[in-house]
Amino acid sequence: MDTELELTEACKKGSRDAFQTLYCRFAPALRIVLMRYVADSEVAEDLLHDVFYKIIGSKLKAFEYRKEGSLRAWLTRLSANEALMWLRREKHFPRVEENIPIPEQVEEPTPEEVQSLSEKELMSLIEQLPAGYRTVFNLYVFEQMSHKEIGQMLGINEKSSSSQLARAKKLLAVQIKKRMV
């Protein structure tokens, strides 16, 4: 079960070893995806188990393998959707946040400054963003959705999505610069 195709086929046949491999191989990355949205490790862990329960229960039957990497992409999308459904269900769904003070002019961090941060440090900064900013940032940067798609998903207009992203980037820039001091 070295390839995603072999793993997918074995899981679809009901192999317990394949499901164990699927979990061990993808759970750490999916946990990170979930943390990007909910920023609460206990909730992320619960959602991770919900994702795998759904995969084992019925979702995997609908998955169509296309090429290496398609399983990871599909699992990532399922995880992001699970986090967004949780945010809606728990009334934590992000709203447009306009009253957070952000400096008008923000000095952008240099590529070297950004690269000097570990992935964990950078993810921590993203997790600290207000929920609306964090969600739009994640959907745009990591899920590569357009502002139109984000707007439809979150029930906001495209300009609000664009504004939320710009504000998220400014807040991240400020936080990165603070780390460099």
Side-chain angles (χ1 to χ4, degrees):
M1 288 182 288
D2 292 331
T3 69
E4 285 186 358
L5 178 59
E6 293 169 337
L7 183 59
T8 300
E9 289 175 352
C11 285
K12 284 184 175 185
K13 291 177 182 173
S15 166
R16 287 178 162 253
D17 289 341
F19 283 121
Q20 179 70 28
T21 300
L22 181 77
Y23 184 86
C24 290
R25 187 177 296 175
F26 294 105
L30 299 180
R31 188 176 291 109
I32 291 168
V33 169
L34 292 163
M35 281 294 297
R36 285 195 324 246
Y37 290 94
V38 299
D40 180 316
S41 59
E42 289 180 17
V43 171
E45 195 64 31
D46 288 344
L47 292 174
L48 179 67
H49 292 283
D50 291 347
V51 167
F52 276 96
Y53 180 77
K54 287 177 180 179
I55 291 166
I56 292 168
S58 63
K59 293 279 188 188
L60 191 60
K61 292 174 187 155
F63 171 69
E64 291 183 35
Y65 180 85
R66 290 191 174 87
K67 63 180 181 176
E68 196 66 22
S70 62
L71 178 61
R72 177 189 275 289
W74 180 74
L75 292 169
T76 299
R77 180 57 66 122
L78 278 178
S79 298
N81 287 341
E82 189 70 23
L84 291 170
M85 285 189 308
W86 181 86
L87 288 168
R88 274 192 205 103
R89 193 171 52 244
E90 297 299 315
K91 309 277 191 272
H92 293 293
F93 206 66
R95 63 190 187 294
V96 176
E97 301 182 43
E98 298 290 345
N99 58 353
I100 296 170
I102 299 173
E104 186 105 1
Q105 295 294 322
V106 174
E107 183 183 351
E108 292 286 320
T110 65
E112 293 79 23
E113 289 172 326
V114 175
Q115 290 172 356
S116 73
L117 297 172
S118 70
E119 183 178 331
K120 186 176 181 175
E121 289 172 312
L122 193 53
M123 294 312 291
S124 174
L125 292 177
I126 292 169
E127 288 170 14
Q128 293 172 33
L129 290 171
Y133 296 170
R134 182 178 63 243
T135 301
V136 171
F137 183 87
N138 285 320
L139 292 171
Y140 187 85
V141 173
F142 296 110
E143 309 304 329
Q144 299 178 332
M145 294 175 78
S146 69
H147 288 298
K148 182 176 183 178
E149 293 169 316
I150 293 168
Q152 289 171 344
M153 179 175 272
L154 300 182
I156 60 177
N157 68 43
E158 289 178 55
K159 291 184 182 188
S160 293
S161 173
S162 179
S163 171
Q164 294 280 287
L165 178 63
R167 291 168 183 258
K169 287 179 176 181
K170 282 184 177 183
L171 280 178
L172 280 174
V174 167
Q175 293 302 321
I176 291 170
K177 283 296 193 180
K178 282 183 183 177
R179 291 259 174 129
M180 299 298 120
V181 176

